[in-house]
Amino acid sequence: MDTVKQTIERLRAEIDRHNHNYYVLNSPEISDYDFDMMLKELERLEKEHPEFDDPLSPTHRVGSDINKAFEQWEHRRPMLSLGNTYSIEEVDEWVARAREGLGGEAFSIVGEMKFDGTSISLTYEHGRLVRAVTRGDGERGDIVTDNVMTIRSIPLKLQGSGWPDEFEIRGEILLPWKAFDRLNAEREFNEEPLFANPRNAAAGTLKMQNSAEVARRGLDAVFYYLLGDNLPHDNHFDNMEAARSWGFRVSPEMRLMTTIGEVDDFIAHWDVARKQLPWATDGLVLKVNNLRQQLNLGYTAKSPRWAVAYKFAAERALTPLRHVSFEVGRMGVVTPVANLEPVLLSGTIVKRASLHNADIIAKLDIHEGDHLYVEKGGEIIPKITGVDVDARTPGAAPVRFVTHCPICGTHLVRVEGEASWMCPNKLGCPPQICGRIEHFVGRRMMNIEGIGEEMSVLLYENGWVKDPADLYTLYRHRQEMLLLPGMGPRTVERMLEGIEASKKVGFDHVVFALSIMFVGETVAKKLARSMRDIDSLMNADVETLTAIDDIGPRIARSVVDYFAHPVNRDIVERLRAAGVCMSMPEEPSDSTSEILSGKTVVISGTFARHSREEYKEMIERNGGKNVGSVSKKTDFILAGENMGPAKLEKARSLGVTILNEDEFLSMLGQAE
Ligand code: IVH
């Protein structure tokens, strides 16, 4: 009979093995159901026997919603980048340089994919993951171990044998196409900004504070570089195969080559075949295989001489321009859009591409009827990159930016300090008015269900809603609305209920919903939290506003201008009268004291109960001073998990008191 401890350990080992089968080898041995049952059983046992906890248990892969700031870590060896080549000729030149560098010695080359994600460095000690660090600036990065642990294809404990007691392995964190598409579809539904490519999405996800959300997004990882003092082999290829046997996912198609002909074939093959891979790649990497030869070749300041990237050409199509349209957004900014003869590019049909602003049109020197190059490199959004001048019809006129609003005819004005033009007729230009109504009701603003783009236009065209505040008197038009084709009582009631419910939406959302130039979601939150209510915000001057973190003069000016306008003040008053929330909830008043008066405090590590920012505020509210580095003058250190080793050592040598968060909170009388 197993003891409980043995059962727990056996379950952990089995679950680790099934994770590897499923996520790395793609060949599960058991059903998802059986796997879940095993995991549940382990969870139950661990809960009953907390004394057998292990931070690397597979039950900890689900992440947590604890808010943590990232601690930094200095890389033992800097994380460099790779030199790029764009043609076979440039690759040949690299091979020739390597041969010369090695004094004519023969050498072999390993070819592998260049994965397009965000790089990661993992450290293992005695076969256990101890740390995951982002590239950062190459010298030091963020410790993101909790987030990385949620990636099921990364082994927390190694399999097999023969690994060095301590080693580092580097690789790429990726968001596979499928997970990327799902994430963006979700974001579109929630009206959140879309990620331009899987690389940005992977990097953004890895730095999220909430590891439960990271777990949900479905990151993956591939490894390509083993570092350490006692590696099992004297060459890259065999070391990577060893890493594969320890449970890592290694470049699926590494190839060992000795002639330039083989390298050419390898490039030609993957230029096409990469499109079938489940994740994005932006090229290939070629590496000198032998580690002694790598050492001999060494490094330039930025990259190794023993490796080089070959970048695939972005997919490009040439298609005629039908016409350039000029579209007016809710802020009045006019965006030129190239309407194209539809063309197939990387699997989707492209019909339109933004030309962004007047400067870009001028730079591309686009003429009527030109044939335009469209590219979709790693990006999802197609981009116009050039014009086929030879195909231009003689006498074709250059495309000129409009001087008047294409909708209301008002003379356009240049946005100060920017390349864009805008229609200043804010109160009379229909797309601006409808755009502001549509924005106001959006999910991340007032979240009013039942009103979208078409309904905003309909409500405006019937004269019922000319600004967001009119929504709250829409009920007066109930009978008229019912007369419109396609407007049943259910539709109308749902809309009116949505409007009623929006009165409970928080003040920070209301500030965002107003459509103040340069005030996006994050800025709106900052304004709402600092100014606390609409009267303070409306009456704040530029100086008061710029005193808020991250609010610069441009935003401050725009806020002041917005509230200086009587029409906007009137909208605010009508919203207030309708019962829309115009202030933040009161903060608990007993949270300030002089307990820390005169005390200097250093914060280090990651915390479970509050974020680093919150602790900073708490220290200041209680009369203390928060500083960055430990010295003789430090009164105590508020230490979380994974406190930086340098700080810890210094604190110990100076005899500075170290408090954990519970001790700190009870000192402030806030213990739970
Ligand atoms: S080797 C010392 N191999 O590309 C250089 N890097 O441009 C070690 N990358 O920061 C890097 N796939 O994030 C290497 N198969 C591969 C790679 C790869 C993607 C990334 C990596 C690196 C960047 C350099």
Side-chain angles (χ1 to χ4, degrees):
M1 264 290 271
D2 279 1
T3 62
V4 175
K5 185 161 183 249
Q6 282 167 333
T7 311
I8 288 180
E9 275 166 5
R10 182 175 48 75
L11 280 170
R12 284 178 184 156
E14 261 178 56
I15 292 170
D16 279 343
R17 193 170 62 81
H18 290 305
N19 266 330
H20 182 253
N21 286 341
Y22 187 95
Y23 289 102
V24 179
L25 305 178
N26 291 326
S27 65
E29 280 173 12
I30 59 170
S31 69
D32 291 1
Y33 176 80
D34 289 343
F35 180 86
D36 287 343
M37 289 301 113
M38 238 192 239
L39 196 64
K40 281 221 165 68
E41 173 66 6
L42 177 60
E43 269 167 1
R44 187 183 63 78
L45 287 173
E46 287 182 345
K47 208 165 165 192
E48 281 171 15
H49 297 275
E51 69 275 22
F52 301 137
D53 186 37
D54 178 345
L56 297 188
S57 167
T59 53
H60 294 320
R61 284 196 191 260
V62 291
S64 88
D65 56 5
I66 285 171
N67 203 16
K68 289 187 169 185
F70 296 113
E71 184 85 1
Q72 299 243 302
W73 186 267
E74 192 164 326
H75 296 296
R76 261 176 80 177
R77 292 166 223 208
M79 287 180 85
L80 301 174
S81 59
L82 290 167
N84 287 327
T85 59
Y86 296 91
S87 64
I88 303 281
E89 291 71 37
E90 284 178 301
V91 171
D92 288 351
E93 285 166 23
W94 171 75
V95 172
R97 274 200 305 279
R99 179 165 301 122
E100 201 185 308
L102 293 172
E105 209 175 51
F107 61 98
S108 46
I109 293 173
V110 179
E112 51 197 55
M113 297 292 113
K114 186 168 192 309
F115 304 100
D116 201 8
T118 181
S119 35
I120 193 77
S121 150
L122 306 183
T123 300
Y124 285 77
E125 284 172 16
H126 307 290
R128 296 164 64 92
L129 173 70
V130 293
R131 199 181 313 110
V133 185
T134 63
R135 179 173 188 277
D137 62 3
E139 301 285 332
R140 48 190 10 251
D142 288 320
I143 301 180
V144 289
T145 318
D146 288 350
N147 285 349
V148 163
M149 275 175 62
T150 67
I151 303 172
R152 309 288 159 127
S153 61
I154 292 183
L156 305 181
K157 294 174 196 162
L158 302 183
Q159 309 175 355
S161 60
W163 58 75
D165 277 351
E166 187 186 342
F167 69 90
E168 188 184 338
I169 190 162
R170 292 183 184 170
E172 203 82 352
I173 304 279
L174 307 158
L175 195 65
W177 285 115
K178 252 198 204 147
F180 172 74
D181 291 341
R182 194 181 55 216
L183 177 63
N184 258 355
E186 231 175 72
R187 291 175 76 86
E188 190 161 15
F189 181 77
N190 291 331
E191 294 172 21
E192 289 162 346
L194 301 189
F195 285 112
N197 53 49
R199 177 182 0 105
N200 293 358
T205 303
L206 192 62
K207 297 286 276 291
M208 286 197 347
Q209 295 284 331
N210 179 336
S211 57
E213 173 62 15
V214 176
R216 210 184 57 76
R217 287 196 181 174
L219 290 175
D220 209 332
V222 192
F223 291 86
Y224 46 67
Y225 191 20
L226 197 63
L227 300 89
D229 294 330
N230 299 303
L231 301 184
H233 303 283
D234 66 359
N235 68 85
H236 173 67
F237 190 92
D238 290 339
N239 279 332
M240 292 322 295
E241 286 304 335
R244 200 196 298 282
S245 78
W246 304 334
F248 292 100
R249 186 207 295 286
V250 167
S251 188
E253 311 290 344
M254 276 195 305
R255 197 185 296 179
L256 195 56
M257 301 170 289
T258 46
T259 67
I260 191 79
E262 282 174 295
V263 175
D264 289 357
D265 289 348
F266 184 72
I267 291 176
H269 170 69
W270 280 112
D271 204 359
V272 181
R274 68 171 168 132
K275 287 169 201 150
Q276 314 300 326
L277 289 171
W279 43 58
T281 52
D282 62 341
L284 302 170
V285 182
L286 303 170
K287 298 175 180 170
V288 170
N289 189 31
N290 185 289
L291 301 192
R292 178 187 53 79
Q293 292 180 327
Q294 287 189 1
L295 209 61
N296 284 348
L297 287 168
Y299 297 82
T300 69
K302 280 194 302 199
S303 52
R305 290 197 189 87
W306 49 265
V308 77
Y310 168 82
K311 296 278 228 161
F312 297 126
E315 271 192 70
R316 195 165 81 151
L318 188 62
T319 190
L321 172 68
R322 282 180 171 170
H323 67 281
V324 174
S325 56
F326 292 87
E327 301 182 1
V328 187
R330 78 187 150 97
M331 295 300 189
V333 173
V334 178
T335 307
V337 176
N339 294 265
L340 307 163
E341 207 55 64
V343 63
L344 189 66
L345 189 61
S346 313
T348 51
I349 293 180
V350 179
K351 292 186 224 158
R352 287 158 52 84
S354 173
L355 289 164
H356 303 287
N357 58 46
D359 288 3
I360 303 233
I361 295 186
K363 200 168 130 220
L364 290 166
D365 189 28
I366 300 179
H367 287 55
E368 310 272 351
D370 266 354
H371 286 63
L372 304 182
Y373 287 107
V374 200
E375 266 183 32
K376 244 172 75 170
E379 312 299 315
I380 298 306
I381 298 157
K383 190 174 160 190
I384 306 287
T385 54
V387 174
D388 180 5
V389 181
D390 295 339
R392 180 170 293 159
T393 321
V399 170
R400 296 225 186 278
F401 207 91
V402 284
T403 52
H404 291 74
C405 175
I407 310 293
C408 72
T410 307
H411 206 291
L412 300 184
V413 295
R414 188 103 186 187
V415 180
E416 214 179 304
E418 308 219 354
S420 44
W421 290 86
M422 58 183 273
C423 166
N425 183 17
K426 290 210 173 306
L427 304 177
C429 180
Q432 296 189 53
I433 299 170
C434 294
R436 286 194 298 266
I437 298 168
E438 195 192 329
H439 172 79
F440 186 84
V441 300
R443 216 172 273 269
R444 288 182 301 139
M445 291 57 107
M446 303 306 280
N447 194 19
I448 300 178
E449 274 191 50
I451 306 183
E453 184 178 347
E454 273 172 48
M455 187 62 81
S456 306
V457 173
L458 198 73
L459 297 178
Y460 169 73
E461 284 179 345
N462 280 281
W464 301 324
V465 179
K466 290 180 290 308
D467 62 45
D470 284 344
L471 287 166
Y472 296 89
T473 50
L474 186 61
Y475 64 88
R476 295 180 191 154
H477 303 284
R478 192 186 254 121
Q479 295 313 321
E480 297 156 77
M481 282 197 275
L482 286 170
L483 296 177
L484 286 185
M487 286 273 250
R490 289 256 299 275
T491 313
V492 172
E493 286 319 311
R494 194 163 76 103
M495 212 155 71
L496 294 177
E497 278 164 23
I499 293 170
E500 189 56 31
S502 74
K503 294 178 185 172
K504 295 205 181 67
V505 164
F507 178 54
D508 45 349
H509 291 261
V510 177
V511 175
F512 182 30
L514 290 176
S515 284
I516 306 171
M517 186 97 153
F518 308 132
V519 177
E521 194 168 17
T522 316
V523 169
K525 279 205 165 61
K526 293 209 160 128
L527 291 173
R529 286 182 189 161
S530 309
M531 304 311 297
R532 317 272 342 146
D533 60 39
I534 194 73
D535 292 307
S536 315
L537 181 62
M538 271 201 290
N539 299 321
D541 55 15
V542 169
E543 205 183 350
T544 311
L545 293 169
T546 45
I548 304 171
D549 253 359
D550 295 333
I551 307 290
R554 189 178 72 139
I555 298 174
R557 187 76 260 152
S558 161
V559 173
V560 169
D561 287 350
Y562 178 90
F563 289 113
H565 207 300
V567 169
N568 293 332
R569 282 192 170 247
D570 174 60
I571 291 176
V572 168
E573 289 315 331
R574 282 154 52 227
L575 288 173
R576 191 201 315 248
V580 170
C581 174
M582 288 296 171
S583 63
M584 295 299 279
E586 287 285 314
E587 285 216 322
S589 57
D590 58 353
S591 61
T592 59
S593 78
E594 288 301 313
I595 292 177
L596 301 177
S597 174
K599 297 243 187 294
T600 304
V601 185
V602 171
I603 304 181
S604 180
T606 54
F607 299 94
R609 298 196 188 282
H610 296 276
S611 71
R612 216 175 228 274
E613 283 307 309
E614 285 167 341
Y615 277 122
K616 259 191 201 163
E617 265 178 42
M618 261 186 237
I619 292 170
E620 276 155 24
R621 274 207 313 268
N622 290 283
K625 196 170 144 202
N626 171 235
V627 296
S629 60
V630 183
S631 73
K632 273 198 300 229
K633 291 196 202 123
T634 310
D635 288 287
F636 65 87
I637 297 179
L638 167 55
E641 270 180 61
N642 302 324
M643 174 173 167
K647 270 190 192 149
L648 191 62
E649 214 177 292
K650 192 150 181 210
R652 288 209 176 119
S653 70
L654 292 173
V656 176
T657 310
I658 299 178
L659 297 182
N660 67 28
E661 56 185 321
D662 289 330
E663 290 165 331
F664 174 75
L665 290 171
S666 64
M667 184 169 159
L668 297 186
Q670 292 189 10
E672 291 186 7

